[in-house]
Amino acid sequence: MSQGLLRPVPRLFPALVLAGVSCALWAAWLGWDQQRDVQPDGSTTGPYEAWQVGGLVLSLLVPVYWAASRHHVAAAVAGTTVGLTVAAYGDWSDDASGLFMVGVTLVMLGSLAATAAVSAVVRAATRA
């Protein structure tokens, strides 16, 4: 096999690791809670609690910081975004309302914006 074909592999590795870590963190924080809570007035909430989403966000700061501080800003943004998008799609694709793609798109856009901002701040802070 030519060395030219193997050249992109080291560049893709951080993004693939971050995508896998993001999927695993989604499963650890959000994957086990699938029950909606019924309030006394009959309304439903959930299935996730605020502390679960907060835990996911705080847990994702560690791998994003790791990648961005090692000059893998694009991998931090793309890997985390892809991982969370795939996890959300897998978790919500059985939704009967058909609106799960709206949620998946919002997860994708939100994680893209948030990881880009965090990566830019980390990169600027570690550059100084």
Side-chain angles (χ1 to χ4, degrees):
M1 189 180 277
S2 121
Q3 288 296 327
L5 292 175
L6 295 177
R7 184 177 255 159
V9 172
R11 287 187 161 162
L12 287 176
F13 187 70
L16 293 174
V17 167
L18 279 162
V21 167
S22 298
C23 282
L25 287 173
W26 179 286
W29 284 102
L30 305 178
W32 55 272
D33 191 1
Q34 301 297 318
Q35 298 289 335
R36 294 201 175 268
D37 299 324
V38 179
Q39 302 300 321
D41 65 355
S43 63
T44 59
T45 61
Y48 313 122
E49 299 291 332
W51 65 268
Q52 291 173 284
V53 177
L56 173 63
V57 169
L58 291 176
S59 298
L60 283 170
L61 286 176
V62 174
V64 169
Y65 175 84
W66 172 83
S69 65
R70 285 164 178 72
H71 310 287
H72 299 295
V73 174
V77 174
T80 304
T81 300
V82 167
L84 290 178
T85 303
V86 167
Y89 182 86
D91 197 11
W92 299 339
S93 62
D94 61 347
D95 181 38
S97 71
L99 292 175
F100 76 95
M101 279 307 294
V102 173
V104 171
T105 302
L106 291 174
V107 166
M108 180 186 65
L109 295 174
S111 61
L112 180 68
T115 55
V118 168
S119 296
V121 168
V122 168
R123 185 69 187 111
T126 57
R127 187 178 292 167

